[in-house]
Amino acid sequence: MPQKIIYLKDLAEPWRQELTNREMIEYPYYATLDDVIELKEGKDILLRDNEGNKVSYVPCQRLMETVFQSWKEISAYYDALLCSIDDAVTGVNQKGEIVTWNQASEKFYGYSWKQVMGKPITQFFEEEAIVLKKILKSEEPIRRKYNQPITDVHVLINARPVYSNGKLIGGISVERDISDIVRLNEELTNTKAYISDLENKYEKNRIYDPFEKIKGKSRQIREIVSLAKKVAKTDATILITGESGVGKELFAEAIHNASPRADKPFIAINCGAIPASLFESELFGYEKGTFTGASKEGKKGKIDLAEGGTLFLDEIGELPLDLQVKLLRVLQEKRFYRLGGNTPIPIDVRIITATNRDLEEMIEQGKFREDLYYRLNVISLQIPPLRQRREDIPELLSLFLEEFSIKYGTTIPKISSSVMSVFLQHEWRGNVRQLRNLAERLIILSGEEKEIELRHLPSSFQKGLEEMKKEVPLPVLSVTNDEETKIRLALKKTYNNKSAAAKLLGISRATLYNKMQKYGIQGGSKSSESVND
């Protein structure tokens, strides 16, 4: 029920006198629509309460002023909202005439508010590109639909019909400009393909191991590289799994370069970086005239570009279910259709996929197709995280420090034994990528200093150092007089890495080998350096 305080000065005769007699100086009234009684030929209204008593007399002029003021306030908020939105907002009435057009729309499409208001939307856009016309016919809302309303403008649209009292009166759309993302993606794809082609041409002129970029001498990494070399010679579909930052794309490139397809393109596409509405056209391409604003010659998809070579689908776990079905069909039939095309195109492409997600768990949750999983998982390569091959940390760190010292024109600093010990104990949740980023930070912050010390490390590593001090090995090294015990503890502490153990003990590596031979400690000869140096 509405509630309002009525004052005598606001009431008109004849009710003012009557209400005064009833001592209704400040009288709260409660009335429903049925209680409204029109008086004086429809100009004024009288409100009665639930008991039929006369409560208030409302002049028509007062009512109109109040309604108009409310309309002005709502309109002000509406205009402010439209001006505050970065996305283009367009509204049409049931006839398809433009009734809403904000500043972002003016910027996107080059038409001012005065030019478009009240005019048919078809006067400014081609019929097939107008999503709002389809909304008026279907009366079904649309979310995140890709569209190209005019040449060189790419948008994602949210649109829905507008109703008043249950009757359709028009439609409204909100269009987010993704033109820069689309152009950047195309430029990045073309650049990567060009660079890959240059690399392939360069590598043809020298004999090399395609896996030489994968560094590490630990048993885990040697085993996975050995398996990758075997499967590289085949056309088997490969699924590479592992945490973020372990180097899955590096393995995919190495497998391609070690395969009979090495002289053909290696095309990579990140399934999680491209909007689902764009992914299908990126993967399969489209025929000319498929939609307004599309290239007149059509466009090749990634499958086309990878013809004869390798298509690497990174983050395959992010692929929507509807696209999983289409990818499965391509793998089964060895052919595909471009968007807007009716002619099947045969393919000769090797598929390598990668993910950091548990696909078997996703299958149980209904988020990944089981039949596609088995198609992709002919050969599985599980890349171990850095914390499971800590003995590779010194070698990787040295390589990264050298890389960034060249980049920034500084000398290569040494790593103190305490810093190396902290690195060997760290969890490295970001894996090799985290180590590489940290090496760049150390080169920048250490400047011209000759040695990297604990003070150069981020605060998260300082916390790790405090935890490490509670684990006893470092204090034991300083208090025990048993040289053999010291050596064994240092090797254990550094996961049997001779270089790190020598630094921890404050001796040269040659001296460490001599002492290991002296005490009969396994690996105490220079001929055994292959794994843990």
Side-chain angles (χ1 to χ4, degrees):
M1 292 289 188
Q3 181 175 350
K4 183 178 178 181
I5 302 299
I6 302 299
Y7 297 94
L8 279 178
K9 63 183 179 62
D10 293 327
L11 300 178
E13 293 294 343
W15 309 112
R16 179 181 301 169
Q17 186 61 41
E18 180 176 337
L19 293 178
T20 302
N21 295 337
R22 295 176 57 180
E23 298 181 351
M24 296 177 63
I25 304 298
E26 294 187 1
Y27 185 92
Y29 74 83
Y30 302 86
T32 65
L33 187 62
D34 294 336
D35 296 318
V36 176
I37 300 176
E38 297 186 1
L39 296 178
K40 295 187 180 179
E41 298 179 355
K43 294 183 179 180
D44 300 325
I45 60 174
L46 169 70
L47 298 181
R48 295 180 182 272
D49 61 17
N50 291 335
E51 298 177 355
N53 299 317
K54 301 168 187 177
V55 175
S56 175
Y57 180 72
V58 182
C60 182
Q61 180 66 25
R62 173 67 56 80
L63 179 62
M64 294 301 294
E65 289 175 356
T66 302
V67 171
F68 183 66
Q69 179 61 30
S70 297
W71 175 84
K72 287 200 299 183
E73 292 178 0
I74 293 172
S75 181
Y77 278 105
Y78 174 76
D79 291 339
L81 177 62
L82 289 181
C83 292
S84 302
I85 296 175
D86 292 331
D87 300 333
V89 180
T90 306
V92 297
N93 59 23
Q94 198 172 10
K95 297 178 182 180
E97 298 167 339
I98 298 175
V99 295
T100 298
W101 188 261
N102 71 342
Q103 292 178 356
S105 297
E106 293 181 332
K107 180 180 178 182
F108 284 2
Y109 303 120
Y111 299 111
S112 68
W113 182 84
K114 292 182 178 180
Q115 286 177 294
V116 302
M117 286 300 290
K119 296 179 181 178
I121 193 170
T122 51
Q123 185 174 327
F124 306 96
F125 302 96
E126 294 187 22
E127 186 80 28
E128 59 269 25
I130 304 174
V131 174
L132 281 173
K133 294 284 287 185
K134 300 173 184 177
I135 289 290
L136 294 177
K137 291 180 180 179
S138 67
E139 297 191 30
E140 293 291 335
I142 289 176
R143 283 191 58 80
R144 297 184 63 79
K145 177 180 175 62
Y146 168 73
N147 192 34
Q148 194 170 0
I150 59 176
T151 303
D152 294 332
V153 175
H154 304 263
V155 298
L156 283 182
I157 297 181
N158 289 333
R160 62 174 49 249
V162 179
Y163 298 92
S164 178
N165 295 326
K167 180 182 178 182
L168 179 70
I169 62 170
I172 193 164
S173 69
V174 179
E175 303 173 18
R176 174 157 298 178
D177 186 14
I178 58 170
S179 302
D180 289 342
I181 296 175
V182 173
R183 282 193 289 270
L184 182 61
N185 183 63
E186 290 177 352
E187 291 174 8
L188 181 60
T189 299
N190 294 335
T191 303
K192 287 187 70 174
Y194 176 69
I195 292 174
S196 179
D197 184 55
L198 287 179
E199 288 178 343
N200 288 335
K201 289 178 180 178
Y202 170 74
E203 299 298 349
K204 284 181 184 177
N205 298 323
R206 72 185 185 94
I207 299 174
Y208 83 112
D209 178 6
F211 291 86
E212 68 180 1
K213 293 181 180 179
I214 301 172
K215 304 299 182 181
K217 298 176 182 177
S218 62
R219 177 184 56 80
Q220 297 96 323
I221 205 67
R222 286 188 294 116
E223 287 179 353
I224 201 69
V225 167
S226 176
L227 177 58
K229 287 181 177 180
K230 290 179 182 178
V231 301
K233 300 174 183 178
T234 73
D235 266 349
T237 304
I238 300 173
L239 174 63
I240 303 175
T241 59
E243 296 178 6
S244 178
V246 295
K248 296 185 287 294
E249 184 168 356
L250 202 61
F251 268 87
E253 287 185 295
I255 291 170
H256 168 75
N257 291 329
S259 75
R261 298 176 178 268
D263 60 340
K264 299 296 183 180
F266 174 83
I267 302 296
I269 181 170
N270 190 312
C271 301
I274 301 175
S277 53
L278 284 176
F279 189 85
E280 189 172 359
S281 64
E282 286 295 314
L283 186 60
F284 301 118
Y286 55 80
E287 297 288 355
K288 60 182 180 179
T290 301
F291 47 82
T292 303
S295 172
K296 294 180 179 180
E297 293 78 25
K299 178 187 174 184
K300 287 186 175 182
K302 296 297 188 293
I303 292 182
D304 265 330
L305 296 174
E307 178 62 23
T310 301
L311 179 65
F312 176 54
L313 299 174
D314 198 6
E315 295 188 34
I316 190 67
E318 308 302 323
L319 195 65
L321 283 170
D322 58 332
L323 292 177
Q324 291 179 29
V325 175
K326 296 179 180 179
L327 177 60
L328 176 63
R329 184 175 299 169
V330 171
L331 294 176
Q332 291 173 335
E333 300 178 359
K334 300 294 182 183
R335 60 181 185 174
F336 72 100
Y337 296 85
R338 291 200 185 108
L339 291 183
N342 298 316
T343 305
I345 302 174
I347 62 169
D348 176 24
V349 174
R350 184 189 196 164
I351 303 293
I352 300 178
T353 58
T355 183
N356 58 11
R357 302 184 66 179
D358 187 338
L359 295 186
E360 293 184 356
E361 182 179 334
M362 291 181 67
I363 290 171
E364 293 179 1
Q365 297 172 351
K367 296 180 180 179
F368 201 87
R369 291 184 63 92
E370 186 173 14
D371 45 5
L372 177 60
Y373 172 74
Y374 290 119
R375 278 278 179 179
L376 300 176
N377 193 27
V378 176
I379 300 293
S380 179
L381 298 180
Q382 173 72 44
I383 313 301
L386 188 57
R387 61 183 171 277
Q388 290 182 9
R389 55 184 186 107
R390 297 178 191 268
E391 56 267 45
D392 291 334
I393 291 175
E395 179 186 2
L396 291 170
L397 183 60
S398 296
L399 289 170
F400 295 147
L401 290 175
E402 180 180 0
E403 174 190 348
F404 290 113
S405 66
I406 294 173
K407 177 179 178 180
Y408 294 108
T410 64
T411 57
I412 304 175
K414 295 181 179 179
I415 302 293
S416 69
S417 59
S418 56
V419 169
M420 183 60 72
S421 186
V422 170
F423 280 5
L424 290 168
Q425 299 298 315
H426 193 66
E427 284 298 299
W428 299 107
R429 294 298 177 186
N431 293 292
V432 179
R433 184 186 294 123
Q434 182 187 2
L435 179 62
R436 186 174 184 275
N437 292 342
L438 180 60
E440 182 174 15
R441 170 195 169 102
L442 293 175
I443 287 293
I444 294 172
L445 296 184
S446 63
E448 296 299 324
E449 296 184 45
K450 296 181 179 181
E451 187 173 52
I452 293 175
E453 301 176 352
L454 290 174
R455 60 188 174 84
H456 295 122
L457 300 183
S459 57
S460 58
F461 284 82
Q462 302 292 345
K463 181 180 179 181
L465 177 62
E466 295 301 320
E467 294 296 323
M468 189 182 67
K469 288 179 179 178
K470 300 175 183 178
E471 296 177 3
V472 177
L474 281 177
V476 169
L477 289 178
S478 62
V479 300
T480 181
N481 293 321
D482 186 344
E483 188 174 57
E484 179 182 354
T485 300
K486 282 185 177 182
I487 292 172
R488 291 186 181 279
L489 285 172
L491 289 169
K492 181 179 180 182
K493 187 73 177 173
T494 59
Y495 295 88
N496 212 36
N497 185 280
K498 314 299 187 304
S499 297
K503 285 186 177 182
L504 196 60
L505 292 165
I507 59 179
S508 69
R509 192 169 63 179
T511 301
L512 175 61
Y513 277 113
N514 291 334
K515 292 183 180 294
M516 289 175 68
Q517 284 183 309
K518 174 183 176 181
Y519 297 116
I521 299 174
Q522 187 177 4
S525 65
K526 292 188 178 182
S527 62
S528 65
E529 290 183 15
S530 60
V531 178
N532 294 321
D533 255 338

